[in-house]
Amino acid sequence: MDVDPRQYENITINDNDSHNIVLSYLIHGCFKDTVESLVASTGLKVPAVQLEDMEKRKRILHFALEGNALDAIALTEHVSPDLLENNKDLLFDLLSLHFVELICSRKCTEALEFAQAKLTPFGKVQKYVEKLEDFMALLAYEEPEKSPMFHLLSFEYRQHVADSLNRAILAHANMPSYSALEKLIRQATVVRQCLSEELGKDVQSAFSLKEFLKS
Amino acid sequence: MGGVGSVGPPSKRRKVSSTEIPEKSSVSMADDAIGSKGVKKVEFVRLIADALHSLGYRKTGEYLEKESGITLFPSVINEFSQQILDGNWDESLNSLRKISILDESVVKSSSFVILEQKFLQLLDSQNPDDALRTLRTEITPLSINHNRVRELSSLVLCSGQAMVKPKPRSVVLHDLQKLFPPNVMIPEGRLLHLVEQALDLQRDSCSFHNSLIGKTSLFIDHNCGKDQIPSKTLQILQEHEDEVWFLQFSHNGKFLASSSRDKSAIIWEVNLDGKVSLKHRLLGHKKPVSSVSWSPNDDQILTCGVEDVIKRWDVISGECLCVYQKNDLGMVSCCWTPEGDRVFSGATDKSVIMWDLDGNELESWPSQKTVRISDLQIMGDGRYIVSICKENMIDIFDRSPLGCERIIKENHNIVSFTLSEDKKFLLVSLVNQEIHLWRIHGDIRLLARYKGHKVSRFVVRACFGGLDQAFVASGSEDSRVYIWYRETGELLETLAGHSGAVNCTSWNPTNPHMLASASDDRTIHIWGLNHVD
């Protein structure tokens, strides 16, 4: 779909809106120092409590990304009590991170004991059974990186768990779990795709965000 | 003449060493065949030795091995088997590696089987750490059967519980036997299996086969002569006063019922010595009796008068228990449901009626369900009604709400039909002097034709019979009884003796050597074997 510059000119954008969009993105990602810079340059107001919470959240996520699930869990309990109680999926994912840590440090006996103590209770619920089996299968390999389940050891997996944890903590604190920036991008993409479908056949390809931003 | 290096086929001089599997030298032993079909002597002797061992004749088996110079198993295999049975997994793995002719994939799969048992045993004795070590260091590196490796990992959590019970060791040995090529570990009971195969083949090719398995012997080929089929008149029953139209043995083979133009039916008893005697005369019909029908448990019988009423009788007392009739209608056929709780009848207005035992009409299917002189059968727990609905068509009607109708169409008029005991097959007698065998279970298909008898003016009936219902018998207008081999349609016997058209035959369901026939000459013949067994 061709860009029609005339349409764009007619829309006014409020500076404040732009600043808030950037701010929400930074808060979501716990970029504390950058937030402080932005606040200093733009005159936005951010309550101190929010800054502290952001600091704590940053530490929790950092633990998770390192694979230090136990500390992540402890701090989460401290910051948002009951969160993990009510979110068993997340708890399982975090516990499994610790299990993976033990495996990677080749502490098999400890890993086995940990699994028996903390993970097997989940096995009573059908939806966790397959996941549990995936993790347990790691025990069979002396070089888990070479097993079929190697993706469970990867940084991407830890990132995935950390993201879920982040959204859960934000939701728990009644803050939006998706940043305004993310929402806008999603909205724009969906709208463009719908429109291009409606217009029919002589449209070449699906909407590409990258191309759009370059144009 | 020649020294060691001279010409001569190596086989004559080479001896089989006891640690090699004989087959390694089979290239040179190949010309040691026995018989004319290439049976290898080495294999034959090994089978015999194996059979001797499994019968418990160890000494004889070992002596045979010594005397023939052909070993049953090299000693390493024996050691291996024993180690498996004793549960010495690690030693068995060592022996496995010594068996040189196994190829890599067999070695791996066998190792997996053995290590799996070792793993389960460790778990079963509450030793999860050692089990885990076995899994990690021995099983996983085999790099096969990854799904099973995954399952075993999960089992580590279940140490000591029921699901980690190892298999019995004889089963493990059996599983390993299946993995090994057959010339290394001979499949269990192989010689017996070959003999049983031969016996099956002999039986299958015997078209006169009409006796039970106990009579087979290994000393001669199984081949029944015609002497297993009833072919001699043993008894003539002369109690009817007019043409005998129908007869049928009861399901338990203890009684025979016949019906006649003389307006009566007779219940006969089959005594233990094979003689048939009159038990009851069922009198009271005002018209000739066209057919009878035994209740499923043989305690009652229905008789059908020609376009008249149906009566229900008690077999023990001979009393008439109930009469089925409908105003202005005559009945043409009758039949029980398999539960014995309902009676079906065909009527002169081409309808089929269902009755309860007390004579009350429960339901009727009005149109085009039957023709004037007809047969009727019920199958499938009372769900299907089978009848001749038009002169050349048989209708299998499904009574259930969404049921459909299936039709068998013939090119000639149908005279009668019979349903097999297992309700899967139909014998249809046609006016063009053929009997057709149809399969009605699953796809409807014409399976065979039987010819040679005579049908042109009268209703003539056919029946199944003999051991496993292997034969088809029919009456004929030329006064003979005809017997065919069901499978091939081959005419096996024609039995002469009657002096009038034979209308109906019935084979005793519990005595494959007894056949009864009913004729226009007013008699019933009981046929049996032509010699004393």
Side-chain angles (χ1 to χ4, degrees), chain A residues 108 120 133-134 136 139-141, chain B residues 129 136 140 150 153-154 157:
Chain A
C108 293
T120 38
E133 284 178 356
D134 278 345
M136 292 307 299
L139 275 175
Y141 295 85
Chain B
D129 292 329
R136 288 164 65 90
T140 309
R150 195 187 139 97
S153 286
S154 298
L157 292 172

Side-chain angles (χ1 to χ4, degrees), chain B residues 403-416:
Chain B
C404 57
E405 232 169 331
R406 294 193 296 166
I407 305 270
I408 295 177
K409 186 155 185 251
E410 289 280 6
N411 291 330
H412 296 274
N413 286 354
I414 297 172
V415 166
S416 67

